[in-house]
Amino acid sequence: MTAAGEEMHALVERLYPLCRSITGDGVRATLDIVGEYLPLQVHEVPTGTQVLDWTVPQEWNIRDAYVADPAGNRVVDFAASSLHVLGYSVPVSATMPLSELRDHLHTLPDHPSWVPYRTSYYKPEWGFCLAQETLDAMPDGEYEVRIDSTLADGHLTYAEHVVPGQVPDEVIVSCHVCHPSLANDNLAGIAVATFLARALAETTPYYTYRFLFAPGTIGAITWLARNAERVDRVKHGLVLACAGDRGQLTYKQSRRGDAEIDRVLRHVLTTSERPHRITEFTPYGYDERQFCSPGFNLGVGSLSRTPYAGYPEYHTSADNPDFVSPEAMADTLAVCREAFAVLDRNRRYLNLSPYGEPQLGRRGLYDALGGRSDTKQAQMAMLWVLNLADGEHSLLDVAERSGLPFDTVAVAADALRGAGLIKA
C-alpha cells in the first residue's frame, strides 16, 4: 500500500457522505474539498443555457427526506444515506397508505440488504430507495412521506485544473462528480484524477494537462459547448471511472480505435504485464461518448478497473469505501502516470546522417553504455531509432516494431539527439 493510495482512500471516505447530483450544493461541496488539494477554476452555468442539443436544467437541492411508519419511526431516512432519495425528487409532504407508497419505492430483491441508486433528472418524479428487507418489514398502514427539496433556476457547476505544459496542445482528463454515496463510481476516479494532477505538477510536462471535474453527460456536453472553438487543442484524453475496485484494469478505446492514447494504453498495459482488458469503443458508458461524438471525434479513451455495470455492487449502497482499496487506486494512478510519461515523450525524429549507419563509437555513444546491465538492448534501441527516424515513425512505433521497452527507446533517442544525429 502506497502513501498515495492511503491518501486517495481518505479522500474517498471524506467525499462519500455528500449528496451529489448533476447540479446543486453537493457538487459545490465536493469541489470545495477537491480544491483543498488543487487550485480549481469553478464555472457556474445558468439554468436554461443552451449547450449543444441540451439545455442546462434547473438546480436541485435537498435538505431532508424520510418515510415514517404508523408509529412515527423513520424507516427510510435521507440523513442515514443520500442514496435513500430518488435523485432530483420533487418536494413532497403527504400521508398515504403503504399500498400507494409502494409505487414510489425502489429496492433490489436479489440483494435484499442493499439500497439501489436511482435518479429522475429530466422527468418530474419523487421516490425513495431502500433495502428490500426494510420494505418487507414495513406493516400496512398510513405513512408520513416528506421530501424537503427544491428544484429551481440556478446553475450547473463544474471545475477545471490546468497543469501548464511546454506546448499549448492539451491532454484532457475527465471524471464525473454527480454521483452521491458511491465510492468506486466515481469517488475513486475523482481521487485518482486529483493525485494525478498533483504528480504532473511536480514535473515539466510536454503537453498541457486539463483536468475536468464535471457532472456526467450534461457536464461534458456543457464543457464541449463552451469550448467548441478551442477543442482542436485537445490532442489526447482519458476519462477516469470505477478506478478503485479490486478487478483488473480495463481500457476502452476511443471511437477512432487507433488514436495515440489508444496505442499508448495498449502498450503500457501490455508491457507492464498487468492483468488487463482492452475493449472496443461503444457509444454507451461515460463521457468518452461525448468527446468521441462524430462532430468532435476526439482521441479520448476511458480507463477503469471493472467497467460500469460489471460488478454487482454497481449503483448500490454496497459500493462503499470498503469496496475500493488503496492498492487498486494506487495501481490505477501508476498506470496513468506511466501512460502520460510515454505520451509526453513520444516524438517523431529525423536522422541527420541517414546514408549508412553513423559511427556511434567515435561519438562515445557505445562507451556511455558500458556500465549498463542492458547494454545490448540499449545499443539495439539506438540502431532502431536511427533506422526509423525518417520523420514518419514515432518512438512508440519504434518500441512496438522492435519489441523494446519504450523507456529504453526514449533514452536512446535522447542520447542520439545529444550527439547531433537526430532532430525532432
Side-chain angles (χ1 to χ4, degrees):
M1 184 188 304
T2 68
E6 292 177 337
E7 291 181 69
M8 286 187 287
H9 197 270
L11 176 56
V12 168
E13 290 181 313
R14 188 176 173 195
L15 293 172
Y16 184 75
L18 297 178
C19 182
R20 282 163 291 272
S21 189
I22 56 173
T23 63
D25 291 335
V27 174
R28 297 186 184 97
T30 298
L31 296 177
D32 284 345
I33 291 173
V34 174
E36 296 175 17
Y37 293 78
L38 300 171
L40 297 177
Q41 182 180 9
V42 177
H43 304 269
E44 298 277 3
V45 184
T47 295
T49 302
Q50 189 70 27
V51 287
L52 305 181
D53 195 46
W54 295 58
T55 304
V56 173
Q58 289 188 310
E59 182 177 325
W60 183 69
N61 286 293
I62 183 168
R63 287 163 291 278
D64 191 21
Y66 62 86
V67 174
D69 66 15
N73 301 309
R74 291 193 179 192
V75 291
V76 184
D77 193 350
F78 170 76
S81 171
S82 60
L83 294 178
H84 276 308
V85 175
L86 177 79
Y88 253 64
S89 280
V90 298
V92 61
S93 181
T95 300
M96 63 185 68
L98 180 61
S99 57
E100 181 181 342
L101 177 60
R102 280 181 181 273
D103 291 339
H104 298 275
L105 301 180
H106 305 273
T107 66
L108 293 167
D110 292 342
H111 296 282
S113 65
W114 296 357
V115 177
Y117 164 56
R118 298 287 185 269
T119 64
S120 184
Y121 294 140
Y122 300 105
K123 177 184 178 184
E125 183 59 271
W126 65 268
F128 291 87
C129 299
L130 65 159
Q132 180 66 44
E133 60 190 20
T134 300
L135 177 58
D136 292 342
M138 291 167 61
D140 288 333
E142 295 291 309
Y143 284 78
E144 181 187 359
V145 179
R146 170 83 166 156
I147 298 178
D148 182 11
S149 65
T150 56
L151 197 58
D153 287 353
H155 297 82
L156 178 146
T157 309
Y158 71 91
E160 294 175 285
H161 171 78
V162 176
V163 180
Q166 299 170 39
V167 297
D169 291 344
E170 293 186 0
V171 180
I172 190 167
V173 181
S174 173
C175 60
H176 58 274
V177 297
C178 52
H179 286 179
S181 297
L182 299 173
N184 197 40
D185 182 28
N186 189 38
L187 297 180
I190 295 171
V192 170
T194 299
F195 278 75
L196 177 59
R198 291 177 67 179
L200 286 170
E202 295 174 355
T203 69
T204 306
Y206 177 75
Y207 289 108
T208 294
Y209 286 82
R210 182 176 300 274
F211 287 79
L212 177 62
F213 300 87
T217 304
I218 186 64
I221 286 171
T222 298
W223 186 88
L224 285 164
R226 301 182 83 206
N227 293 273
E229 294 181 356
R230 55 176 300 280
V231 79
D232 59 341
R233 291 187 189 177
V234 179
K235 304 304 180 184
H236 321 281
L238 193 63
V239 173
L240 291 173
C242 301
D245 69 85
R246 293 167 175 82
Q248 67 180 4
L249 284 155
T250 301
Y251 177 69
K252 176 183 173 182
Q253 299 183 119
S254 72
R255 178 178 180 266
R256 300 180 195 173
D258 62 349
E260 191 171 344
I261 191 71
D262 301 326
R263 296 181 58 209
V264 167
L265 263 297
R266 288 197 300 262
H267 178 79
V268 167
L269 289 170
T270 300
T271 57
S272 72
E273 299 185 348
R274 288 178 172 90
H276 69 277
R277 287 198 310 153
I278 305 292
T279 63
E280 298 294 327
F281 175 80
T282 64
Y284 187 76
Y286 291 108
D287 286 332
E288 69 278 356
R289 70 187 197 269
Q290 311 307 332
F291 299 115
C292 294
S293 55
F296 294 108
N297 196 27
L298 299 174
V300 177
S302 177
L303 183 66
S304 62
R305 302 195 74 84
T306 306
Y308 63 89
Y311 50 97
E313 297 84 356
Y314 178 74
H315 279 194
T316 77
S317 58
D319 183 0
N320 58 45
D322 290 337
F323 181 66
V324 298
S325 77
E327 295 87 353
M329 284 188 284
D331 187 49
T332 307
L333 175 62
V335 167
C336 291
R337 295 187 67 175
E338 291 167 25
F340 290 163
V342 172
L343 199 63
D344 251 20
R345 293 184 294 170
N346 191 30
R347 304 278 182 281
R348 287 175 171 81
Y349 288 96
L350 187 65
N351 188 336
L352 300 178
S353 182
Y355 299 101
E357 182 181 300
Q359 190 175 15
L360 302 181
R362 71 178 174 84
R363 292 176 169 87
L365 292 171
Y366 279 152
D367 292 340
L369 303 174
R372 293 177 54 136
S373 59
D374 61 342
T375 299
K376 184 64 176 177
Q377 192 178 62
Q379 290 175 353
M380 286 302 302
M382 286 188 183
L383 297 176
W384 271 109
V385 171
L386 284 167
N387 191 269
L388 294 180
D390 54 7
E392 299 294 329
H393 292 86
S394 68
L395 294 185
L396 184 56
D397 292 325
V398 176
E400 290 177 343
R401 185 162 175 180
S402 67
L404 295 169
F406 180 89
D407 186 66
T408 301
V409 170
V411 169
D414 288 342
L416 292 168
R417 185 178 57 189
L421 287 171
I422 61 173
K423 69 174 184 178

